[in-house]
């Protein structure tokens, strides 16, 4: 049996892919500045008109009086997001009304004499420790570049508790440099403690290494005494237009280090379908996957930053959406904020993940997560599905349920709803004979990049039978076809902002 290596990068190929994706993203972002974006721009412009005498950077006002305010002190006017920019109020984009703003860019010249731009670094992180439930938001600007590393200086920092935002004093936040192979931690201090966010694993893939802090340490501020180490961290950046990206837990799968582990994709069980055979032997490397499916609150943020235009097609079918647009701002309908978002085309699902600087899962990634790397039939084991473990046809429900509502059905890494609730778009083209053709192609790497009329769909939904909830089951749909039972989650080799 031939073993195909599912590496997260082939150095030259990955570099070309990264450059191509960056170009496509830039085009997509430009095209997205229509529809709902026009309304958001109008709201921002109203704020500019009311505050242009205030000076400083313009901000998205998370909860103040102007939709986009110009703070009198250069954009850091405290928890209200700046001075009033008009009498039209804009509800907060997130529960914590941080003064989000469009990141600026600064030019540097490297050691080879090349001039390039570096974006400001805006990062929002969630803190869960002991009784504390808080979010922090840090804005940092690049100040120097030397030996392939860019140093950043914190411009402003905020903490939010119980939806109340407080600006931290100067010196209470620090940002390390970003280099080709590493990233020094970001630290925020308040209430006598210092919280350090950092990358828990090696940087993999394209260079320079863009940080994705997934761990957090807690220390006493004065003494430096370590209180907690290696706590899970959830962080997210902002979009090109300053809209915050969602805070979503991600789980690490695959090898503990950067060594490949064997995985046989497919099934030889009696109930296996023909397109699940023959087994495809792969070597897998570490990757990350969203713990839950994207919600309507997540999708509203995406639409506010990118618009509802994905490659000339609607990202989401609005007739299936639990969204409402008011004054050019998309929001989830009350009560639907946490429900899985459905009605996305493949183009919309892919654009959502790319906006978060992630990707739609590959088939092998989804099956690894749903099968405990090929050792069980379902995410929870080999027991037949029931309504305590999955939301599927036997449960008789009329729609998807909140994420992780069936905790007994989670995978061993704690990933929810990999079987049932809503099915999920996959990045690969569908081919019934893919496993056989991939095994014969040394450059396949477990990914089907041969164009076809349909894309892979995995996981099954609340409308599907137990057979379609199996980890090895494969389904497909045309990329522009939307459905009320199909959603999205994202994966990453090296998550970044």
């Amino acid at each position: 049996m031939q073993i195909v290596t599912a590496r997260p990068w082939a150095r030259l190929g990955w570099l070309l892919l990264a450059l191509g994706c960056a170009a496509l993203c830039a085009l997509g972002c430009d095209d997205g500045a229509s529809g709902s974006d026009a309304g958001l721009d109008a709201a921002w412009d109203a704020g500019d008109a009311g505050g242009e005498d205030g000076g400083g950077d313009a901000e998205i006002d998370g909860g103040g009086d102007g939709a986009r305010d110009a703070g009198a002190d250069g954009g850091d006017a405290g928890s209200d997001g700046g001075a009033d920019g008009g009498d039209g109020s804009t509800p907060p984009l997130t529960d914590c009304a941080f003064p989000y703003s469009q990141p600026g860019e600064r030019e540097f010249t490297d050691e080879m004499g090349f001039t390039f731009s570096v974006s400001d670094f805006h990062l929002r992180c969630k803190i869960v420790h002991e009784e504390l439930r808080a979010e922090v938001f840090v804005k940092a600007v690049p100040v120097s570049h030397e030996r392939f590393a860019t140093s950043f200086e914190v411009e402003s920092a905020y903490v939010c508790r119980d939806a109340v935002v407080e600006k931290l004093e100067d010196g209470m936040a620090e940002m390390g440099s970003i280099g080709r192979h590493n990233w020094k931690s970001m630290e925020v201090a308040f209430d006598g403690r210092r919280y350090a966010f950092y990358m828990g694993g090696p940087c993999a893939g394209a260079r320079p290494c863009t940080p994705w802090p997934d761990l957090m340490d807690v220390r006493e501020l004065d003494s430096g005494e370590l209180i907690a180490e290696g706590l899970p961290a959830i962080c997210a950046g902002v979009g090109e237009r300053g809209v915050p990206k969602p805070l979503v837990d991600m789980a690490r799968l695959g090898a503990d280090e950067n060594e490949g582990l064997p995985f046989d994709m497919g099934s030889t069980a009696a109930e296996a379908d023909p397109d699940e055979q023959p087994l495809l032997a792969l070597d897998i490397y570490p990757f990350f996957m969203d713990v839950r499916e994207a919600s309507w609150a997540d999708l509203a943020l995406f639409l506010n930053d990118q618009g509802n235009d994905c490659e000339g097609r609607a990202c989401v079918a609005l007739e299936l959406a639990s969204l409402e647009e008011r004054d050019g701002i998309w929001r989830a309908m009350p009560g639907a904020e946490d429900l899985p978002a459905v009605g996305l085309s493949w183009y919309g699902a892919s654009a959502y993940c790319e906006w978060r600087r992630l990707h739609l899962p590959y088939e092998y990634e989804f099956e690894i997560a749903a099968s405990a790397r090929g050792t069980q039939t379902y995410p929870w084991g080999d027991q037949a599905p029931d309504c305590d473990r999955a939301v599927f046809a036997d449960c008789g429900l009329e729609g998807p349920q909140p994420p992780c509502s069936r905790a007994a059905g989670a995978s061993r890494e704690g990933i929810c709803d990999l079987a049932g609730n809503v099915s999920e778009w996959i990045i690969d083209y569908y081919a019934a004979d893919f496993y056989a053709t991939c095994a014969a192609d040394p450059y396949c790497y477990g990914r089907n990049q041969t164009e076809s009329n349909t894309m892979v769909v995995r996981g099954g939904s609340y409308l599907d039978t137990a057979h379609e909830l199996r980890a090895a089951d494969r389904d497909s749909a045309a990329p522009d076809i939307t459905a009320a039972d199909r959603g999205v989650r994202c994966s990453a080799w090296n998550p970044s902002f």
Side-chain angles (χ1 to χ4, degrees):
M1 181 182 298
Q2 180 177 354
I3 296 178
V4 180
T5 301
R7 293 181 180 273
W9 70 92
R11 293 188 182 275
L12 179 59
W14 169 246
L15 177 59
L16 295 174
L17 177 62
L19 293 173
C21 287
L24 289 174
C25 180
L27 291 173
C29 294
D30 290 338
D31 292 341
S34 60
S36 66
D37 289 352
L40 189 58
D41 285 336
W44 285 353
D45 292 341
D48 288 339
E52 62 183 355
D53 294 335
D57 295 335
E59 297 177 344
I60 301 175
D61 183 1
D65 291 336
R68 185 184 177 190
D69 296 326
D73 66 346
D76 295 320
S79 63
D80 64 353
D84 290 349
D87 55 8
S89 63
T90 300
L93 294 172
T94 59
D95 291 339
C96 289
F98 292 120
Y100 302 112
S101 63
Q102 294 171 278
E105 289 193 352
R106 289 156 176 78
E107 287 193 349
F108 293 92
T109 302
D110 65 13
E111 291 82 352
M112 303 297 293
F114 295 105
T115 300
F116 60 96
S117 295
V118 178
S119 296
D120 296 346
F121 197 70
H122 295 182
L123 190 63
R124 178 170 64 115
C125 296
K126 182 183 293 186
I127 297 176
V128 177
H129 178 240
E130 296 176 345
E131 300 301 317
L132 178 63
R133 301 292 184 271
E135 290 184 16
V136 294
F137 180 58
V138 175
K139 295 182 175 182
V141 297
V143 293
S144 65
H145 179 85
E146 184 177 0
R147 295 185 181 276
F148 304 106
T150 303
S151 296
F152 286 79
E153 183 178 277
V154 172
E155 188 176 57
S156 58
Y158 305 83
V159 61
C160 173
R161 289 162 290 197
D162 298 323
V164 177
V165 177
E166 173 189 357
K167 184 182 179 184
L168 298 178
E169 296 180 1
D170 293 344
M172 290 294 100
E174 296 179 357
M175 179 74 71
S177 63
I178 298 177
R180 287 177 60 85
H181 299 281
N182 56 32
W183 178 64
K184 296 179 181 178
S185 67
M186 179 186 81
E187 299 188 0
V188 177
F190 58 93
D191 295 348
R193 290 186 172 179
R194 181 174 292 273
Y195 303 86
F197 300 87
Y198 59 95
M199 291 172 61
C203 178
R207 300 292 190 265
C209 179
T210 308
W212 179 67
D214 60 334
L215 296 178
M216 176 184 72
D217 292 348
V218 184
R219 294 182 180 272
E220 289 287 354
L221 179 58
D222 293 332
S223 67
E225 178 186 355
L226 182 65
I227 299 172
E229 183 178 19
L231 300 177
I234 311 170
C235 297
V238 301
E240 291 185 359
R241 302 181 66 240
V243 175
K245 298 179 183 181
L247 292 170
V248 182
D249 277 307
M250 298 192 82
R252 181 183 172 95
L253 298 100
D256 292 332
E257 302 296 336
N258 274 345
E259 298 297 328
L261 288 178
F263 167 60
D264 289 339
M265 186 174 174
S267 175
T268 58
E271 69 270 18
D273 295 326
D275 64 354
E276 300 167 23
Q277 300 172 352
L279 293 181
L280 176 60
L282 301 173
D283 275 348
I284 63 167
Y285 286 75
F287 65 95
F288 296 82
M289 179 176 283
D290 285 347
V291 166
R292 61 169 176 81
E293 294 153 336
S295 69
W296 285 117
D298 300 335
L299 197 66
L301 294 174
F302 164 73
L303 293 178
N304 284 325
D305 199 66
Q306 299 290 291
N308 194 27
D309 186 335
C310 293
E311 300 185 32
R313 307 167 177 85
C315 304
V316 58
L318 296 181
E319 64 272 17
L320 299 176
S322 295
L323 296 168
E324 57 185 6
E325 185 183 17
R326 188 170 66 253
D327 298 327
I329 308 295
W330 287 103
R331 302 192 186 282
M333 291 181 178
E337 294 89 348
D338 296 329
L339 289 176
V342 297
L344 292 90
S345 65
W346 180 91
Y347 303 99
S350 181
Y352 166 76
C353 291
E354 288 182 4
W355 173 66
R356 291 178 55 202
R357 299 189 69 170
L358 310 176
H359 62 254
L360 281 176
Y362 286 91
E363 269 204 279
Y364 73 84
E365 291 177 337
F366 191 96
E367 190 166 326
I368 287 168
S371 69
R373 197 161 56 88
T375 61
Q376 53 198 43
T377 308
Y378 303 99
W380 56 83
D382 292 320
Q383 303 92 337
D386 57 39
C387 296
D388 290 329
R389 294 187 175 95
V391 179
F392 68 117
D394 287 9
C395 304
L397 298 172
E398 296 182 356
Q401 301 302 295
C404 303
S405 63
R406 305 297 190 267
S411 73
R412 67 181 182 184
E413 293 85 8
I415 302 176
C416 302
D417 302 318
L418 288 167
N421 210 25
V422 298
S423 60
E424 300 171 20
W425 284 113
I426 300 297
I427 198 170
D428 298 282
Y429 292 100
Y430 175 79
D433 61 349
F434 169 61
Y435 292 2
T437 59
C438 183
D441 181 359
Y443 301 103
C444 174
Y445 301 126
R447 309 170 210 155
N448 188 8
Q449 300 174 21
T450 302
E451 292 190 17
S452 68
N453 294 325
T454 55
M455 313 304 295
V456 176
V457 176
R458 286 275 193 152
S461 78
Y462 66 91
L463 296 176
D464 289 322
T465 66
H467 179 81
E468 293 162 302
L469 268 58
R470 296 175 304 111
D473 187 73
R474 306 176 70 208
D475 199 355
S476 64
D480 56 349
I481 298 298
T482 59
D485 65 335
R486 189 181 307 132
V488 59
R489 82 172 77 222
C490 305
S491 292
W493 296 324
N494 179 42
S496 65
F497 302 109

